[in-house]
DNA sequence: ACTAACAAACGGACCAGTTGGTATGTTGGG
DNA sequence: CCCAACATACCAACTGGTCCGTTTGTTAGT
């Protein structure tokens, strides 16, 4: 394979595994036996240009991948289930999630210490617990409350990520309108 | 205020704004006029210990904050709306989201270039578009499909973050069970 | 009341290693 | 001959971290 493609593939994997800041140029270079001269020949603007190239290629891959899954299934429901299933299997196999999102690249979570991971996990647990308690007061069943509190946590967390990337508060606003409707129907 | 607290507060803010890896010790030190000797006196294990301390303190703050909001409102619905509203206002005021989540700390999004942000934004747009198209085929109205595709994107994205922090596939599994139910009721 | 002893709380120089980036040299195909 | 495609050597800037000296406050003994 040509040097440039080799560089992109290796860098993409490393970025996904460890995050952009964590991965140094030398690490990428060593991983695919390419010298600095070659890198700056193909990417005159250095690391940043390499990242952008990786993201653009990845975007195409992910989009067609999801597109394929959706064309295979009749309803959105089935497609979503199949898609999440793919994610779950990938996680169980590799121990991390790299597909269908950029967050693994812009997140340093994978490289954080166990203590840090635990602190983050504890926070989400606290939040979910608050939600769950209130939902039980609202009259939800135990199972429904548990599932719903997770949906609340996840969708708000995800909406925050979307707001940051879009530089807009629209995602949170939409979620805020939708979640009450959903809760009422349960 | 004592040096240690000062250090924690300054570091927390910087970590939230720029991400852990991006912020150097010297930057923190300069920002609160503290020397390296003082830092390593209070945090013998250096940067990592400082981060963990920040996270633990932040966890308490966030938890009690959300707890307060939830105790003020009668139903979960009202509490969630109020909470998201707080997030939206905070975003509109400061230009970024730092509250109620750790993702701003473990994410490098804020420090990424405009090109990178755009690439991420485009990916989410692609994904949402796929969802939306399928939902319209399913018979959803235009507004419902738009809102629902955002909920799907956000909740899956959030669930992935939860899986990474919890080192478990449970969040995605729960979401996979819940989302079909929700889609059917619309 | 005076002081010796000790420790906590720093201040700041210094360190090796690594970072992204550049400048120059070499090579092989058209 | 020329130019793309590298390779090599090198660079300043910065990274987190260590070491040791100094100040300040507290305690204990006489």
């Amino acid at each position: 394979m040509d040097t440039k493609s080799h560089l992109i593939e290796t860098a993409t994997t490393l970025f996904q595994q460890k995050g952009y800041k964590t991965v140094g140029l030398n690490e990428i270079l060593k991983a695919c036996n390419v010298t600095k001269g070659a890198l700056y020949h193909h990417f005159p603007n250095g690391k940043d240009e390499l990242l952008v190239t990786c993201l653009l290629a990845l975007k195409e891959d992910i989009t067609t991948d999801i597109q394929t899954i959706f064309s295979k299934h009749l309803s959105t429901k089935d497609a979503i289930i199949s898609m999440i299933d793919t994610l779950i299997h990938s996680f169980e196999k590799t121990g991390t999630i790299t597909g269908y999102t950029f967050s693994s690249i812009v997140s340093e979570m994978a490289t954080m210490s166990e203590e840090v991971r635990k602190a983050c996990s504890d926070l989400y647990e606290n939040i979910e617990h608050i939600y769950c308690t209130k939902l039980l007061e609202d009259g939800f069943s135990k199972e429904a409350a548990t599932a719903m509190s997770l949906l609340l946590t996840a969708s708000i967390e995800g909406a925050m990520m979307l707001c940051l990337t879009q530089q807009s508060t629209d995602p949170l606003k939409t979620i805020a309108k939708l979640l009450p409707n959903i809760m009422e129907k349960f």
Side-chain angles (χ1 to χ4, degrees), chain A residues 26-38:
Chain A
N26 296 322
E27 191 179 349
I28 300 172
L29 264 16
K30 206 197 291 179
C32 54
N33 264 326
V34 169
T35 57
K36 214 159 252 189

Side-chain angles (χ1 to χ4, degrees), chain A residues 111-123:
Chain A
T111 56
M112 295 285 187
S113 69
E114 182 60 24
E115 271 182 305
V116 172
R117 216 214 78 245
K118 185 68 164 51
C120 294
S121 178
D122 284 352
L123 173 67

Side-chain angles (χ1 to χ4, degrees), chain A residues 164-181:
Chain A
L164 287 174
T165 57
Q166 292 178 214
Q167 293 281 70
S168 151
T169 52
D170 290 347
L172 274 173
K173 283 177 181 168
T174 306
I175 292 282
K177 276 188 199 166
L178 205 52
L179 287 179
N181 268 322

Side-chain angles (χ1 to χ4, degrees), chain A residues 112-163:
Chain A
M112 295 285 187
S113 69
E114 182 60 24
E115 271 182 305
V116 172
R117 216 214 78 245
K118 185 68 164 51
C120 294
S121 178
D122 284 352
L123 173 67
Y124 289 125
E125 199 182 314
N126 282 356
I127 294 178
E128 274 182 56
H129 185 254
I130 295 175
Y131 294 167
C132 197
T133 307
K134 194 78 173 183
L135 286 166
L136 289 172
E137 287 176 23
D138 287 359
F140 277 70
S141 74
K142 200 183 165 189
E143 302 95 82
T146 308
M148 183 58 70
S149 59
L150 188 115
L151 179 76
L152 292 173
T153 310
S155 58
I156 292 173
E157 187 67 36
M160 284 197 255
M161 271 300 293
L162 292 176
C163 286

Side-chain angles (χ1 to χ4, degrees), chain A residues 43-54:
Chain A
F43 303 96
N45 293 330
K47 199 187 178 187
D48 198 65
E49 186 181 351
L50 177 60
L51 170 66
V52 172
T53 310
C54 288

